[in-house]
Amino acid sequence: MNAYDDGAGVERTFAALPPAQGRGFARTWWGRTWLTALEGTALDTRQLKAGRRLARAGAVGAVSVRPGRITAVVQDRDRTPHRADVLLQELSGERWDRFLDMAAERAGHVAALLDREMPTHLVEDAELAGVELLPGPGDLEPECGCGAWDHCAHTAALCYQVARLLDQDPFVLLLMRGRGEQALLDALHARGDASAGRSGPAEGVDAAEAYAAGDILPSLPEMPVLPPEPGIPPSFDTEAGPAAGIDASALAFLAARTAVRAHSLLAQALREGYEERAAQPEPSVALDAVRLAAGEPGRAVADRLAEGSGRGREGLAVAVRAWRHGGPAALAVLDEEWTVRGDSLARARAALESAWEEDERPVLTSRANRWTVVGAPVQLRLSRDGRWWPYRKERGRWVPAAGPAQDPATALASAQGAPEQ
Ligand SMILES: [Zn+2]
């Protein structure tokens, strides 16, 4: 998502990480394996220790990863910044071919990679095919703004930080070795298609055999655990700059909102169970503009949404208020006027009749599904599901005042409450 193709290859940038708490620095197999390899690269032990201290303390800024090179600004303990680069040999085209052949021979590897997972066996299997993914002695070449001619605390800190990046995404290792995730997956797809072509169409499996195999299949994986917070999308703060026509801040905002949405959908699925989850209608572009605007974008993104949605700045602000009171249903009440007829009208009238005592009932005038109080800037809107939505006139415009109620008197009382800030 944060990969810009600058022609020479792909660059990914990872936001700076907070200081590492607790004992473990690298939490996954990939992070730990990287650290083991790092400690075996014959980097000076003192530099490694100094680097580890800096990396743990959060002194490494955003890390940019490109084929053959990682870069970050690393701060000394006195906050002096140094640009540190570490170069790692890219795999040759021939080595990549061998690697892809190896992966393609093992169906499990391809399936996992296409699922954006990196099986831990990959390192060993690649090694057997003569391809070293992890760095060996002398493989990590330092360049640092501090002027050191060999590894210094800054380049060592950068190397340590890579362990944390690999925790987040082990594909970073393959990118350092020269292949971005997309190029790799494309190549695997191409190999899969080619081998499918060679062996002809699949012949199928006997149904009884397939059914019997169900018993020996591994059980389904555990339900995922809901992370405490939505993930933080990768940083777009990169040297390469976005391609023409890409608005980096808008893209960063979209990525962040997508993470929030994914988190809430996962939370909902875990709460309600996958089966019970009702299929949600695909949001329209108009709806989505309001949903995004409700996510508190910066001014520039908000202005684009206001223009793109055709609502204008004030109109969008009102739509966002509606959204916060009840999502798509509230937005429909804001935008749609519909004629109440037949049974719905009879029910609406009965509800209005019984909501107040005779002497307290406000005088209402009605038009379509809207009932306005005579002599007061408040209105009730009826939604098709029979709920009443309070509206209030502010600066000449009807705006949603609160969430809906089944009872018109309750709804009207919340419309008459203190204006929103
Ligand atoms: Zn340095």
Side-chain angles (χ1 to χ4, degrees), residues 316-399:
L316 187 60
V318 171
V320 164
R321 272 170 71 167
W323 183 269
R324 293 193 173 132
H325 289 312
L331 206 55
V333 170
L334 172 69
D335 291 340
E336 290 170 18
E337 220 178 75
W338 57 286
T339 309
V340 192
R341 305 198 163 82
D343 284 354
S344 304
L345 185 58
R347 271 198 300 274
R349 283 188 174 147
L352 290 167
E353 188 69 26
S354 62
W356 292 276
E357 297 296 332
E358 189 66 40
D359 54 343
E360 288 175 348
R361 183 174 304 121
V363 182
L364 300 163
T365 58
S366 70
R367 193 189 76 195
N369 62 327
R370 302 171 182 186
W371 279 261
T372 309
V373 177
V374 173
V378 286
Q379 186 177 77
L380 291 174
R381 295 190 180 184
L382 183 67
S383 54
R384 290 173 199 274
D385 61 3
R387 291 183 294 170
W388 298 91
W389 299 74
Y391 270 68
R392 182 163 48 221
K393 201 166 226 174
E394 287 179 12
R395 276 169 275 147
R397 199 189 263 269
W398 285 110
V399 298

Coordinates of all heavy atoms in Angstrom, one line a residue, residues 316-399:
L316 N -21.6 18.9 4.3 CA -21.0 17.7 4.7 C -20.9 17.7 6.2 O -21.1 16.6 6.8 CB -19.6 17.6 4.1 CG -18.8 16.3 4.3 CD1 -19.6 15.1 3.7 CD2 -17.4 16.4 3.7
A317 N -20.7 18.8 6.8 CA -20.6 18.9 8.3 C -22.0 18.4 8.9 O -22.0 17.6 9.9 CB -20.3 20.3 8.8
V318 N -23.1 18.8 8.3 CA -24.4 18.4 8.7 C -24.6 16.9 8.5 O -25.1 16.2 9.4 CB -25.5 19.2 8.0 CG1 -26.9 18.6 8.3 CG2 -25.4 20.7 8.4
A319 N -24.1 16.4 7.4 CA -24.2 15.0 7.1 C -23.4 14.1 8.1 O -23.9 13.1 8.5 CB -23.8 14.7 5.6
V320 N -22.3 14.7 8.5 CA -21.4 14.0 9.4 C -22.2 13.9 10.8 O -22.1 12.9 11.5 CB -20.1 14.6 9.6 CG1 -19.3 14.2 10.9 CG2 -19.2 14.3 8.4
R321 N -22.8 15.0 11.1 CA -23.6 15.0 12.4 C -24.7 13.9 12.3 O -24.9 13.2 13.3 CB -24.2 16.3 12.6 CG -23.3 17.3 13.4 CD -23.8 18.7 13.4 NE -24.9 18.9 14.3 CZ -25.4 20.1 14.6 NH1 -24.7 21.1 14.2 NH2 -26.5 20.2 15.4
A322 N -25.4 13.8 11.2 CA -26.4 12.8 11.0 C -25.8 11.4 11.2 O -26.3 10.6 11.9 CB -27.1 13.0 9.6
W323 N -24.6 11.3 10.5 CA -24.0 9.9 10.5 C -23.7 9.5 11.9 O -23.9 8.4 12.3 CB -22.7 10.0 9.7 CG -21.9 8.7 9.6 CD1 -21.0 8.3 10.5 CD2 -22.1 7.7 8.6 NE1 -20.6 7.0 10.1 CE2 -21.3 6.7 8.9 CE3 -23.0 7.6 7.5 CZ2 -21.2 5.5 8.1 CZ3 -22.9 6.5 6.7 CH2 -22.0 5.5 7.0
R324 N -23.2 10.5 12.7 CA -22.9 10.1 14.1 C -24.1 9.8 15.0 O -24.0 9.1 16.0 CB -22.1 11.3 14.8 CG -20.7 11.4 14.1 CD -19.8 12.3 14.9 NE -18.5 12.3 14.2 CZ -17.8 13.4 13.9 NH1 -18.2 14.6 14.2 NH2 -16.6 13.3 13.3
H325 N -25.3 10.2 14.5 CA -26.5 9.9 15.3 C -27.1 8.6 14.8 O -28.0 8.1 15.4 CB -27.5 11.0 15.1 CG -27.2 12.2 15.8 ND1 -26.8 12.3 17.1 CD2 -27.2 13.5 15.4 CE1 -26.6 13.5 17.5 NE2 -26.8 14.3 16.5
G326 N -26.6 8.0 13.7 CA -27.2 6.7 13.3 C -26.8 6.2 12.0 O -27.6 5.5 11.4
G327 N -25.6 6.6 11.5 CA -25.1 5.9 10.3 C -26.0 6.1 9.1 O -26.6 7.1 8.9
P328 N -26.0 5.1 8.2 CA -26.7 5.2 6.9 C -28.2 5.6 7.1 O -28.7 6.4 6.4 CB -26.6 3.8 6.3 CG -25.3 3.3 6.9 CD -25.3 3.8 8.3
A329 N -28.8 5.0 8.2 CA -30.3 5.3 8.4 C -30.5 6.8 8.6 O -31.4 7.4 8.1 CB -30.8 4.5 9.6
A330 N -29.6 7.4 9.5 CA -29.7 8.8 9.8 C -29.5 9.6 8.6 O -30.1 10.7 8.4 CB -28.7 9.1 10.9
L331 N -28.6 9.2 7.7 CA -28.3 10.0 6.5 C -29.5 10.0 5.6 O -29.8 11.0 4.9 CB -27.0 9.3 5.8 CG -26.2 10.2 5.0 CD1 -25.7 11.5 5.7 CD2 -25.0 9.4 4.4
A332 N -30.1 8.8 5.5 CA -31.3 8.7 4.6 C -32.4 9.7 5.1 O -33.1 10.4 4.3 CB -31.9 7.3 4.6
V333 N -32.5 9.8 6.5 CA -33.5 10.7 7.0 C -33.1 12.2 6.7 O -34.0 13.0 6.4 CB -33.6 10.5 8.6 CG1 -34.5 11.6 9.2 CG2 -34.2 9.2 8.8
L334 N -31.8 12.5 6.7 CA -31.4 13.8 6.3 C -31.7 14.2 4.9 O -32.2 15.2 4.6 CB -29.9 14.0 6.6 CG -29.2 15.3 6.1 CD1 -29.7 16.4 6.9 CD2 -27.7 15.2 6.1
D335 N -31.4 13.2 4.0 CA -31.5 13.5 2.6 C -32.8 13.2 1.9 O -33.2 13.9 0.9 CB -30.5 12.6 1.8 CG -29.0 13.0 2.2 OD1 -28.8 14.1 2.6 OD2 -28.1 12.2 2.0
E336 N -33.6 12.3 2.5 CA -34.8 11.9 1.7 C -36.1 12.5 2.3 O -36.2 12.5 3.5 CB -35.0 10.3 1.7 CG -33.9 9.6 0.9 CD -33.9 8.1 1.2 OE1 -35.0 7.6 1.7 OE2 -32.9 7.5 0.8
E337 N -37.0 12.9 1.4 CA -38.3 13.2 1.9 C -39.2 12.2 1.2 O -39.1 11.9 0.1 CB -38.6 14.6 1.3 CG -39.4 15.5 2.3 CD -39.6 16.9 1.8 OE1 -40.5 17.0 0.9 OE2 -38.9 17.8 2.2
W338 N -40.1 11.6 2.0 CA -41.0 10.6 1.4 C -42.4 10.9 2.0 O -42.6 11.4 3.0 CB -40.5 9.2 1.7 CG -40.4 8.9 3.2 CD1 -39.4 9.3 4.0 CD2 -41.3 8.1 4.0 NE1 -39.6 8.8 5.3 CE2 -40.7 8.1 5.3 CE3 -42.4 7.4 3.7 CZ2 -41.3 7.4 6.3 CZ3 -43.0 6.7 4.7 CH2 -42.5 6.7 6.0
T339 N -43.4 10.5 1.2 CA -44.8 10.7 1.5 C -45.3 9.6 2.4 O -45.1 8.4 2.1 CB -45.6 10.8 0.2 OG1 -45.0 11.7 -0.6 CG2 -47.0 11.2 0.5
V340 N -45.8 9.9 3.6 CA -46.3 8.9 4.5 C -47.8 8.7 4.1 O -48.6 9.6 4.1 CB -46.2 9.4 5.9 CG1 -46.5 8.3 6.9 CG2 -44.8 10.0 6.2
R341 N -48.1 7.4 3.9 CA -49.5 7.1 3.5 C -50.0 5.9 4.2 O -49.3 5.2 4.8 CB -49.6 6.7 2.0 CG -49.0 7.5 1.0 CD -49.6 7.0 -0.4 NE -49.4 8.1 -1.4 CZ -48.3 8.3 -2.0 NH1 -47.3 7.4 -1.8 NH2 -48.2 9.2 -2.9
G342 N -51.3 5.7 4.1 CA -52.0 4.4 4.5 C -51.7 4.1 6.0 O -51.8 4.9 6.8
D343 N -51.3 2.8 6.2 CA -51.0 2.4 7.5 C -50.0 3.2 8.3 O -50.1 3.5 9.4 CB -50.6 0.9 7.5 CG -51.7 0.0 7.2 OD1 -52.9 0.5 7.2 OD2 -51.5 -1.2 7.0
S344 N -48.9 3.5 7.5 CA -47.8 4.3 8.1 C -48.3 5.6 8.7 O -48.0 6.0 9.8 CB -46.7 4.6 7.1 OG -46.2 3.4 6.5
L345 N -49.2 6.2 7.9 CA -49.7 7.5 8.3 C -50.6 7.4 9.5 O -50.6 8.1 10.5 CB -50.5 8.1 7.1 CG -51.0 9.6 7.4 CD1 -49.9 10.5 7.7 CD2 -51.8 10.1 6.1
A346 N -51.4 6.3 9.5 CA -52.3 6.1 10.6 C -51.5 5.8 11.9 O -51.8 6.4 13.0 CB -53.2 4.9 10.3
R347 N -50.4 5.0 11.8 CA -49.6 4.8 12.9 C -48.9 6.0 13.4 O -48.8 6.3 14.6 CB -48.5 3.7 12.6 CG -49.0 2.3 12.8 CD -47.9 1.3 12.9 NE -47.1 1.3 11.7 CZ -47.4 0.5 10.6 NH1 -48.5 -0.3 10.7 NH2 -46.7 0.5 9.5
A348 N -48.4 6.8 12.5 CA -47.7 8.1 12.8 C -48.7 9.0 13.6 O -48.3 9.6 14.6 CB -47.2 8.8 11.6
R349 N -49.9 9.1 13.1 CA -50.9 10.0 13.7 C -51.2 9.5 15.1 O -51.3 10.3 16.1 CB -52.1 10.1 12.9 CG -51.9 11.0 11.7 CD -53.2 11.2 10.9 NE -53.0 12.2 9.9 CZ -53.6 12.2 8.7 NH1 -54.5 11.2 8.5 NH2 -53.4 13.1 7.8
A350 N -51.3 8.2 15.2 CA -51.7 7.6 16.6 C -50.6 7.9 17.5 O -50.8 8.2 18.7 CB -52.0 6.1 16.4
A351 N -49.3 7.7 17.1 CA -48.2 8.0 17.9 C -48.1 9.4 18.4 O -47.9 9.7 19.6 CB -46.9 7.6 17.2
L352 N -48.4 10.3 17.5 CA -48.4 11.8 17.8 C -49.5 12.1 18.8 O -49.4 12.9 19.7 CB -48.5 12.6 16.6 CG -47.3 12.6 15.7 CD1 -47.6 13.2 14.3 CD2 -46.1 13.4 16.3
E353 N -50.6 11.4 18.6 CA -51.8 11.6 19.4 C -51.6 11.2 20.9 O -51.9 11.9 21.8 CB -53.0 10.8 18.8 CG -54.3 11.0 19.4 CD -54.9 12.4 19.1 OE1 -54.5 13.0 18.0 OE2 -55.6 13.0 19.9
S354 N -50.9 10.0 21.0 CA -50.8 9.5 22.4 C -49.5 9.9 23.1 O -49.3 9.6 24.2 CB -50.8 7.9 22.3 OG -49.7 7.5 21.5
A355 N -48.7 10.7 22.4 CA -47.4 11.0 23.0 C -47.5 12.1 24.0 O -46.7 12.2 25.0 CB -46.4 11.5 21.9
W356 N -48.5 13.0 23.9 CA -48.6 14.1 24.9 C -50.0 14.1 25.4 O -51.0 13.7 24.8 CB -48.4 15.5 24.1 CG -47.0 15.7 23.7 CD1 -45.9 16.2 24.4 CD2 -46.5 15.4 22.4 NE1 -44.8 16.3 23.7 CE2 -45.1 15.8 22.4 CE3 -47.0 15.0 21.2 CZ2 -44.2 15.7 21.3 CZ3 -46.2 14.9 20.1 CH2 -44.8 15.2 20.1
E357 N -50.1 14.7 26.6 CA -51.4 15.0 27.2 C -52.0 16.1 26.3 O -51.3 16.9 25.7 CB -51.3 15.5 28.6 CG -50.7 14.5 29.6 CD -51.6 13.3 29.8 OE1 -52.9 13.4 29.6 OE2 -51.1 12.2 30.1
E358 N -53.3 16.2 26.3 CA -54.1 17.1 25.5 C -53.5 18.5 25.6 O -53.2 19.2 24.6 CB -55.5 17.1 25.9 CG -56.5 17.9 25.0 CD -56.6 17.2 23.6 OE1 -56.6 16.0 23.5 OE2 -56.5 18.0 22.6
D359 N -53.2 19.0 26.8 CA -52.8 20.4 27.0 C -51.3 20.6 26.8 O -50.9 21.8 26.8 CB -53.2 20.9 28.4 CG -52.7 20.0 29.5 OD1 -52.3 18.8 29.1 OD2 -52.6 20.4 30.7
E360 N -50.6 19.6 26.6 CA -49.2 19.7 26.3 C -48.7 19.5 24.9 O -47.6 19.7 24.5 CB -48.4 18.7 27.2 CG -48.4 19.1 28.7 CD -47.7 18.1 29.6 OE1 -47.4 17.0 29.1 OE2 -47.5 18.4 30.7
R361 N -49.7 19.0 24.1 CA -49.3 18.7 22.8 C -48.9 19.9 21.9 O -49.7 20.9 21.9 CB -50.5 17.9 22.1 CG -50.2 17.4 20.7 CD -51.3 16.6 20.1 NE -51.6 15.4 21.0 CZ -52.8 15.2 21.5 NH1 -53.8 16.0 21.2 NH2 -53.0 14.2 22.3
P362 N -47.8 19.9 21.3 CA -47.4 21.1 20.5 C -48.2 21.1 19.2 O -48.7 20.1 18.8 CB -45.9 20.8 20.1 CG -45.8 19.3 20.3 CD -46.8 18.8 21.3
V363 N -48.3 22.3 18.6 CA -49.0 22.4 17.4 C -48.0 22.1 16.2 O -46.9 22.7 16.2 CB -49.6 23.8 17.2 CG1 -50.4 23.9 15.9 CG2 -50.5 24.2 18.4
L364 N -48.4 21.1 15.4 CA -47.5 20.7 14.4 C -48.0 20.9 13.0 O -49.2 20.7 12.8 CB -47.2 19.2 14.5 CG -46.6 18.7 15.9 CD1 -46.8 17.2 16.1 CD2 -45.1 19.1 15.9
T365 N -47.2 21.3 12.1 CA -47.6 21.3 10.7 C -46.8 20.2 10.0 O -45.6 20.0 10.3 CB -47.3 22.6 10.0 OG1 -45.9 22.9 10.1 CG2 -48.1 23.8 10.6
S366 N -47.4 19.5 9.0 CA -46.7 18.4 8.4 C -46.5 18.6 6.9 O -47.3 19.2 6.2 CB -47.4 17.1 8.7 OG -48.6 17.1 8.0
R367 N -45.4 18.1 6.5 CA -45.1 18.0 5.0 C -44.3 16.8 4.8 O -43.3 16.5 5.5 CB -44.3 19.2 4.5 CG -44.3 19.4 3.0 CD -43.3 20.4 2.5 NE -42.0 19.9 2.6 CZ -40.9 20.7 2.6 NH1 -41.1 22.0 2.5 NH2 -39.7 20.2 2.6
A368 N -44.9 15.9 3.9 CA -44.2 14.6 3.7 C -44.0 13.9 5.0 O -44.9 13.8 5.8 CB -42.9 14.8 2.9
N369 N -42.7 13.5 5.3 CA -42.5 12.8 6.5 C -41.9 13.7 7.6 O -41.3 13.2 8.6 CB -41.5 11.6 6.3 CG -40.1 12.1 5.8 OD1 -40.1 13.2 5.1 ND2 -39.0 11.5 6.2
R370 N -42.2 15.0 7.5 CA -41.6 15.9 8.5 C -42.7 16.7 9.2 O -43.6 17.3 8.6 CB -40.7 16.9 7.7 CG -39.6 16.2 7.1 CD -38.7 17.0 6.2 NE -37.7 16.2 5.5 CZ -36.8 16.6 4.7 NH1 -36.6 17.9 4.5 NH2 -35.9 15.8 4.2
W371 N -42.6 16.7 10.5 CA -43.6 17.5 11.3 C -42.9 18.6 12.1 O -41.9 18.3 12.8 CB -44.2 16.5 12.4 CG -45.4 15.7 11.8 CD1 -46.7 16.0 12.0 CD2 -45.3 14.5 11.1 NE1 -47.5 15.0 11.4 CE2 -46.6 14.1 10.8 CE3 -44.3 13.7 10.6 CZ2 -46.9 12.9 10.1 CZ3 -44.5 12.5 9.9 CH2 -45.9 12.2 9.6
T372 N -43.2 19.8 11.8 CA -42.5 21.0 12.3 C -43.4 21.6 13.4 O -44.6 21.8 13.2 CB -42.2 22.0 11.2 OG1 -41.6 21.3 10.2 CG2 -41.3 23.1 11.7
V373 N -42.8 22.0 14.5 CA -43.5 22.6 15.6 C -43.8 24.1 15.2 O -42.8 24.8 14.8 CB -42.7 22.6 16.9 CG1 -43.4 23.3 18.0 CG2 -42.5 21.1 17.3
V374 N -45.0 24.5 15.3 CA -45.3 25.9 15.0 C -44.8 26.8 16.1 O -44.9 26.6 17.3 CB -46.9 26.1 14.9 CG1 -47.2 27.5 14.7 CG2 -47.4 25.2 13.8
G375 N -44.0 27.8 15.6 CA -43.4 28.7 16.6 C -42.2 28.3 17.3 O -41.7 29.0 18.2
A376 N -41.6 27.2 16.8 CA -40.3 26.8 17.4 C -39.4 26.1 16.3 O -40.0 25.5 15.4 CB -40.5 25.8 18.6
P377 N -38.1 26.3 16.4 CA -37.3 25.8 15.3 C -36.9 24.3 15.5 O -35.8 23.9 15.4 CB -36.0 26.7 15.4 CG -35.9 27.0 16.9 CD -37.3 27.0 17.4
V378 N -38.0 23.5 15.7 CA -37.7 22.1 15.9 C -38.7 21.3 15.0 O -39.8 21.7 14.7 CB -37.8 21.6 17.4 CG1 -36.6 22.1 18.2 CG2 -39.1 22.2 18.0
Q379 N -38.2 20.1 14.7 CA -38.9 19.3 13.7 C -38.7 17.8 14.0 O -37.7 17.4 14.6 CB -38.3 19.6 12.3 CG -39.0 18.9 11.2 CD -38.4 19.3 9.8 OE1 -37.4 18.8 9.5 NE2 -39.1 20.2 9.1
L380 N -39.7 17.0 13.7 CA -39.6 15.5 13.8 C -39.6 14.9 12.4 O -40.5 15.3 11.6 CB -40.7 15.0 14.7 CG -40.7 15.3 16.1 CD1 -42.0 14.8 16.8 CD2 -39.5 14.7 16.8
R381 N -38.7 14.0 12.2 CA -38.8 13.3 10.9 C -39.0 11.9 11.1 O -38.4 11.2 12.0 CB -37.5 13.5 10.1 CG -37.2 15.0 9.8 CD -36.1 15.2 8.8 NE -35.9 16.6 8.5 CZ -35.0 17.0 7.6 NH1 -34.2 16.2 7.0 NH2 -34.9 18.3 7.4
L382 N -39.9 11.3 10.4 CA -40.3 9.9 10.5 C -39.5 9.1 9.5 O -39.4 9.4 8.3 CB -41.8 9.7 10.2 CG -42.4 8.3 10.4 CD1 -42.3 7.9 11.9 CD2 -43.8 8.3 9.9
S383 N -38.8 8.0 10.0 CA -38.1 7.1 9.0 C -39.1 6.0 8.7 O -40.1 5.8 9.4 CB -36.8 6.6 9.6 OG -37.0 6.0 10.9
R384 N -38.7 5.3 7.6 CA -39.6 4.2 7.1 C -39.8 3.1 8.1 O -40.8 2.4 8.1 CB -39.1 3.7 5.8 CG -39.2 4.7 4.7 CD -38.5 4.2 3.4 NE -38.2 5.3 2.5 CZ -39.1 5.7 1.6 NH1 -40.3 5.2 1.5 NH2 -38.7 6.7 0.8
D385 N -38.9 3.0 9.1 CA -39.1 1.9 10.1 C -39.9 2.4 11.3 O -40.0 1.8 12.3 CB -37.7 1.4 10.5 CG -36.8 2.5 11.2 OD1 -37.3 3.6 11.3 OD2 -35.7 2.2 11.5
G386 N -40.5 3.7 11.2 CA -41.4 4.1 12.2 C -40.7 4.8 13.4 O -41.3 5.1 14.4
R387 N -39.4 5.2 13.3 CA -38.7 5.9 14.3 C -38.8 7.4 14.0 O -38.9 7.8 12.9 CB -37.3 5.4 14.5 CG -37.2 4.0 15.0 CD -35.7 3.6 15.2 NE -35.0 3.5 14.0 CZ -33.7 3.4 13.9 NH1 -33.0 3.3 15.0 NH2 -33.1 3.3 12.7
W388 N -38.7 8.2 15.1 CA -38.8 9.6 15.0 C -37.4 10.2 15.3 O -36.7 9.9 16.2 CB -39.7 10.2 16.1 CG -41.1 9.7 15.9 CD1 -41.7 8.6 16.4 CD2 -42.1 10.3 15.0 NE1 -43.0 8.4 16.0 CE2 -43.3 9.4 15.1 CE3 -42.2 11.4 14.2 CZ2 -44.5 9.7 14.4 CZ3 -43.4 11.7 13.5 CH2 -44.5 10.9 13.7
W389 N -37.0 11.1 14.3 CA -35.6 11.7 14.4 C -35.8 13.2 14.6 O -36.4 13.9 13.9 CB -34.9 11.5 13.1 CG -34.7 10.0 12.7 CD1 -35.7 9.2 12.3 CD2 -33.5 9.3 12.8 NE1 -35.1 7.9 12.1 CE2 -33.8 8.0 12.4 CE3 -32.2 9.6 13.2 CZ2 -32.8 7.0 12.3 CZ3 -31.2 8.6 13.1 CH2 -31.5 7.3 12.7
P390 N -35.2 13.7 15.7 CA -35.3 15.1 16.0 C -34.4 16.0 15.2 O -33.2 15.7 15.0 CB -34.9 15.2 17.5 CG -33.9 14.0 17.7 CD -34.4 13.0 16.7
Y391 N -34.9 17.1 14.7 CA -34.2 18.1 13.9 C -34.4 19.4 14.5 O -35.4 19.7 15.2 CB -34.6 18.0 12.5 CG -33.8 17.1 11.6 CD1 -34.0 15.7 11.8 CD2 -32.9 17.5 10.7 CE1 -33.2 14.8 11.1 CE2 -32.1 16.6 9.9 CZ -32.3 15.3 10.2 OH -31.5 14.4 9.5
R392 N -33.4 20.3 14.3 CA -33.4 21.6 14.8 C -32.9 22.6 13.7 O -32.0 22.2 13.0 CB -32.5 21.7 16.0 CG -32.5 23.0 16.7 CD -31.9 22.9 18.1 NE -30.6 22.1 18.1 CZ -30.3 21.2 19.0 NH1 -31.1 20.9 20.0 NH2 -29.1 20.6 18.9
K393 N -33.5 23.8 13.7 CA -33.0 24.7 12.7 C -31.9 25.5 13.3 O -32.0 26.1 14.3 CB -34.1 25.7 12.3 CG -33.9 26.3 10.9 CD -35.1 26.9 10.3 CE -35.4 26.6 8.9 NZ -36.6 27.1 8.4
E394 N -30.7 25.5 12.6 CA -29.6 26.3 13.0 C -29.1 27.1 11.8 O -28.8 26.5 10.8 CB -28.4 25.4 13.5 CG -28.7 24.7 14.9 CD -27.6 23.8 15.4 OE1 -26.5 23.8 14.7 OE2 -27.9 23.1 16.3
R395 N -29.0 28.3 12.0 CA -28.5 29.2 10.9 C -29.2 28.9 9.6 O -28.6 28.7 8.5 CB -27.0 29.1 10.7 CG -26.2 30.0 11.7 CD -24.8 29.8 11.7 NE -24.4 28.7 12.6 CZ -23.4 27.9 12.5 NH1 -22.7 27.9 11.4 NH2 -23.2 26.9 13.3
G396 N -30.6 28.8 9.7 CA -31.4 28.6 8.5 C -31.4 27.2 7.9 O -31.9 27.0 6.8
R397 N -30.8 26.3 8.6 CA -30.6 24.9 8.0 C -31.1 23.9 9.0 O -30.8 24.0 10.2 CB -29.1 24.7 7.8 CG -28.8 23.6 6.8 CD -27.3 23.5 6.9 NE -26.5 24.2 5.9 CZ -26.1 23.6 4.7 NH1 -26.5 22.4 4.4 NH2 -25.4 24.3 3.9
W398 N -31.9 22.9 8.5 CA -32.3 21.8 9.4 C -31.2 20.9 9.7 O -30.6 20.4 8.7 CB -33.5 21.1 8.8 CG -34.8 21.8 8.9 CD1 -35.5 22.4 7.9 CD2 -35.5 22.2 10.1 NE1 -36.6 23.0 8.3 CE2 -36.7 22.9 9.7 CE3 -35.4 21.9 11.5 CZ2 -37.6 23.4 10.6 CZ3 -36.3 22.4 12.4 CH2 -37.4 23.1 11.9
V399 N -30.9 20.7 10.9 CA -29.8 19.8 11.2 C -30.2 18.7 12.3 O -31.1 19.0 13.1 CB -28.5 20.6 11.8 CG1 -28.0 21.6 10.8 CG2 -28.9 21.2 13.1

